[in-house]
Amino acid sequence: MKKEIIINAALNEVRIAITENGDLAELFIEIPDKERLVGNIYMGRVGKVIQGMNAAFIDIGIGQDGFLHFSDVDSSLEDSFITEEEDDDEDDDEPFLPPIPDAKLTDSAAMALRKSPAKTKKSAKPLPTFSTKRSGVVSIGLQPKQNIIVQVVREAYSSKGVRVSTKVSMAGRYVVLMPFESAIGVSRKIQSIKERKRLRRLAKSILPEGFGCIIRTAAEEKSETELRRDWEHLLDIWKEVEANVKKSNNHPALLYQDKNLTGSVIRDLFTNDVVRVAVDSKKLYNEVTNYLNWASPDLDSKVEMYKGKKPIFDAYRLEKAISDTYARKINLPSGGSIVLDQTEAMFVVDVNSGRASSDHEQERNSLKTNLEAAYAIAQQLRLRDAAGIILIDFIDMAFEENRKKVFNEMRREMNRDRAKSTVYPLTALNLMQMTRQRVRQNITERLSDNCPTCAGTGRVQSRSVVLNAIERWLHSFRMGSREFSLLLLVHPTMAEFLLEGSISRISRLMIKHFIKVKLQQSDVLRPNEFKFYSTRQQRDITQDFS
């Protein structure tokens, strides 16, 4: 498979496309007013701890508390609390703690960095508990107002805040450093037992006590010098984090900001199977090549500065595919189509068929269209970052073997996705349920705002409903006022509706309520809004009779 990374920089955004055999596979967009938080590390303060939700809410200083589920708490915070009385008993077993506390750290900062155990008074509430596969039921060392270091693992979406974890990690080119975990893991894609042993042995010789790591696929066959440089770079960054903890004065604060979009994509996705990286910005080109010269000099030759006359995404024929990611309806090759909708609860896809002239042909066409839809849906889920619960209404198929073919095709396509997903077989109603891991906001949330007129529903009140509201207002006005002359402001489309007919609707209202109404258009008003002004008082009286 031929993979390419295409980077386009504009004044107000950076777009990065990853193509597979020339087809758009993934799309990343960064714009200034939508700050990227995933990967950032914060000094947080525990707010509410809710046992019924198995979660706590953490103030990280961004306006909305982060959500910390107990499953995202690292092992050093399980059963790690000791009482003041136990603290004096030297014979008790000590809980696992990373090394000796730094004398320059405050007690609170030392606890946040896991360099000393957190203490709780005897009168404090019992610690929350959580059932884990590893250790059974454990106590979770979280108490209100406790300082704790957390990392954002999922962006905020809808009305929900960011999701955070105490399992802090920092990604490098070849390794991921884990300051609070002592385990050493190796990517499953590295299959050589000899190589896995070499990498583990090297990690143990470099990492300080109490630190763990995950060795990435890119580390395979890399020299000790290259790997050591990556580890030492990450350890230096962690020292800066510890210094920032001291500077935070125990207040919620940003301790570490992950790389920008371009840097993270090059670090994480520019692997040996990528044949080209094309960049149309001199600044980003220098940024990419400088990083590669330090981290992976062997890949530097694959980066090129695009100098063509056409915009780079036009030259690679990507704009049409990108425009489809904003579309609600996408046509399929055989004449069918898919319609995609994001609701509050789930992402919903409806598959529509083309034409068929007989029952036998209908079953064959349904299968063909559904297979095409499975490919298109999997592609759109990746491009749009759709996540959570996904429900797909496929075209009805009579035979179970055909439903299995569609299920297998969808599973095969979703296996190409880096996000974790679970696909369930089609039901008797030809409905497919699936889930997809959520990390970022979907593209609609990132690049659009709710319509101020319809509040995001996609529909507004009909003109007949607005007319009825105007008539009710006039009735209320005539019951409470002796005035007989008004000015009515409405949206142009509503004005057109009121003036239709041989005897216009506005005329009939004036005759019925025995009042003179002067009609005036206003582009400022929404289609379902109207305002009445008193001619005598020269003021807006709409609210007086609503």
Side-chain angles (χ1 to χ4, degrees):
M1 181 185 296
K2 179 184 175 184
K3 291 180 68 175
E4 296 176 300
I5 298 176
I6 315 301
I7 304 175
N8 164 233
L11 183 63
N12 202 45
E13 70 174 4
V14 174
R15 298 186 298 172
I16 302 179
I18 297 179
T19 66
E20 295 174 353
N21 294 329
D23 295 330
L24 182 62
E26 291 188 69
L27 178 66
F28 304 89
I29 300 177
E30 184 175 58
I31 51 180
D33 59 344
K34 298 284 186 180
E35 187 180 1
R36 183 171 170 270
L37 300 179
V38 168
N40 289 358
I41 300 173
Y42 292 87
M43 168 67 87
R45 179 172 293 153
V46 179
K48 293 180 180 179
V49 180
I50 305 176
Q51 176 71 73
M53 293 176 63
N54 287 330
F57 290 90
I58 312 296
D59 178 9
I60 58 175
I62 61 171
Q64 186 177 16
D65 287 354
F67 178 81
L68 172 63
H69 193 267
F70 291 164
S71 62
D72 291 322
V73 173
D74 64 282
S75 58
S76 69
L77 283 174
E78 294 175 0
D79 292 320
S80 65
F81 267 61
I82 55 177
T83 65
E84 290 177 347
E85 289 77 10
E86 289 171 334
D87 193 28
D88 295 330
D89 189 349
E90 295 180 355
D91 295 330
D92 283 353
D93 290 336
E94 292 290 328
F96 167 80
L97 293 172
I100 307 177
D102 185 337
K104 296 180 182 179
L105 289 174
T106 63
D107 289 345
S108 183
M111 293 172 192
L113 286 165
R114 319 291 200 275
K115 294 195 174 187
S116 70
K119 299 178 182 179
T120 183
K121 294 182 180 179
K122 193 175 182 181
S123 59
K125 292 181 180 179
L127 295 176
T129 59
F130 183 62
S131 179
T132 68
K133 293 180 180 179
R134 182 181 69 249
S135 310
V137 177
V138 297
S139 295
I140 302 296
L142 294 175
Q143 288 281 306
K145 298 184 180 179
Q146 173 189 345
N147 284 338
I148 187 170
I149 294 176
V150 295
Q151 184 169 39
V152 177
V153 295
R154 187 201 66 198
E155 297 283 4
Y157 70 98
S158 186
S159 60
K160 298 176 175 64
V162 297
R163 182 164 180 161
V164 299
S165 171
T166 70
K167 299 174 182 177
V168 173
S169 63
M170 294 187 300
R173 175 69 181 165
Y174 304 118
V175 296
V176 177
L177 182 69
M178 300 186 297
F180 301 144
E181 298 280 354
S182 57
I184 296 175
V186 181
S187 169
R188 292 178 182 176
K189 293 182 180 178
I190 300 177
Q191 297 179 345
S192 167
I193 296 176
K194 183 179 178 181
E195 177 65 4
R196 294 173 70 87
K197 286 182 177 179
R198 180 185 79 93
L199 294 171
R200 282 182 185 277
R201 191 165 52 248
L202 186 58
K204 288 178 181 178
S205 69
I206 296 173
L207 290 176
E209 184 182 351
F211 282 73
C213 73
I214 297 171
I215 300 171
R216 309 179 76 168
T217 309
E220 187 172 17
E221 303 298 336
K222 295 299 177 182
S223 68
E224 179 179 341
T225 303
E226 290 175 288
L227 297 175
R228 183 180 291 274
R229 183 173 60 232
D230 206 28
W231 263 305
E232 290 176 348
H233 175 65
L234 293 174
L235 289 169
D236 287 341
I237 294 176
W238 182 249
K239 288 177 183 176
E240 292 178 15
V241 172
E242 291 183 326
N244 289 334
V245 169
K246 298 176 186 178
K247 295 175 185 176
S248 70
N249 292 322
N250 301 326
H251 295 298
L254 176 65
L255 302 176
Y256 165 74
Q257 186 165 18
D258 198 14
K259 286 182 175 291
N260 61 20
L261 178 64
T262 304
S264 62
V265 167
I266 294 299
R267 178 192 67 200
D268 300 334
L269 303 180
F270 187 11
T271 51
N272 289 328
D273 58 344
V274 175
V275 299
R276 178 189 295 118
V277 174
V279 191
D280 67 356
S281 160
K282 187 66 177 176
K283 178 184 176 183
L284 290 182
Y285 174 81
N286 291 335
E287 184 180 312
V288 170
T289 52
N290 288 340
Y291 173 75
L292 290 175
N293 285 334
W294 176 84
S296 297
D298 53 313
L299 295 178
D300 186 53
S301 59
K302 294 184 178 182
V303 183
E304 62 180 48
M305 179 70 196
Y306 176 76
K307 297 179 180 179
K309 293 182 179 180
K310 284 185 178 181
I312 188 169
F313 275 23
D314 285 335
Y316 285 88
R317 300 176 183 176
L318 297 175
E319 288 294 0
K320 172 63 171 65
I322 291 173
S323 66
D324 283 345
T325 64
Y326 309 128
R328 181 170 179 260
K329 181 179 179 181
I330 296 175
N331 293 321
L332 301 173
S334 63
S337 63
I338 58 174
V339 178
L340 307 101
D341 284 304
Q342 177 70 59
T343 71
E344 186 70 20
M346 65 184 73
F347 192 83
V348 184
V349 185
D350 184 36
V351 182
N352 298 314
S353 62
R355 296 180 180 178
S357 58
S358 66
D359 289 345
H360 179 70
E361 186 179 337
Q362 181 178 359
E363 179 74 11
R364 187 172 65 247
N365 283 354
S366 295
L367 174 61
K368 182 180 179 182
T369 303
N370 283 339
L371 292 173
E372 291 176 353
Y375 172 81
I377 292 167
Q379 182 187 44
Q380 289 301 314
L381 294 179
R382 292 174 71 185
L383 291 174
R384 298 176 188 229
D385 283 316
I389 299 172
I390 299 164
L391 186 65
I392 306 169
D393 181 10
F394 282 102
I395 303 165
D396 288 350
M397 294 177 292
F399 302 124
E400 178 64 25
E401 61 186 84
N402 288 340
R403 289 198 283 268
K404 286 183 179 178
K405 288 179 181 177
V406 174
F407 168 65
N408 290 332
E409 177 67 14
M410 178 59 80
R411 238 184 3 176
R412 184 162 46 249
E413 291 298 330
M414 293 306 295
N415 283 338
R416 298 164 60 188
D417 192 354
R418 290 186 300 114
K420 296 177 183 177
S421 61
T422 304
V423 182
Y424 296 94
L426 276 73
T427 68
L429 296 176
N430 288 277
L431 296 175
M432 177 180 283
Q433 304 162 80
M434 60 184 294
T435 61
R436 185 174 183 271
Q437 179 187 21
R438 188 189 304 276
V439 177
R440 299 174 294 168
Q441 291 177 317
N442 68 45
I443 198 166
T444 302
E445 289 178 308
R446 290 204 309 274
L447 302 182
S448 65
D449 297 316
N450 278 344
C451 170
T453 300
C454 70
T457 65
R459 303 186 70 83
V460 295
Q461 289 179 332
S462 70
R463 293 179 296 180
S464 296
V465 172
V466 180
L467 175 60
N468 293 337
I470 291 172
E471 184 171 3
R472 287 193 296 272
W473 190 96
L474 286 172
H475 178 76
S476 177
F477 174 76
R478 291 298 289 123
M479 294 291 290
S481 174
R482 293 184 178 274
E483 291 187 55
F484 294 92
S485 180
L486 295 171
L487 172 65
L488 171 61
L489 267 65
V490 294
H491 188 270
T493 57
M494 190 64 202
E496 181 184 356
F497 181 71
L498 290 171
L499 294 172
E500 285 177 352
S502 54
I503 301 177
S504 67
R505 293 180 177 89
I506 190 67
S507 297
R508 282 185 277 171
L509 286 174
M510 288 191 285
I511 294 168
K512 180 177 179 179
H513 296 282
F514 196 65
I515 189 170
K516 181 181 179 182
V517 178
K518 181 181 179 182
L519 186 64
Q520 186 173 316
Q521 299 182 17
S522 172
D523 292 322
V524 176
L525 295 179
R526 300 172 184 173
N528 59 343
E529 279 187 318
F530 61 88
K531 289 184 182 292
F532 276 103
Y533 285 82
S534 166
T535 305
R536 189 171 67 190
Q537 301 177 53
Q538 294 293 305
R539 70 178 183 88
D540 182 358
I541 59 171
T542 312
Q543 296 301 319
D544 297 354
F545 299 95
S546 294

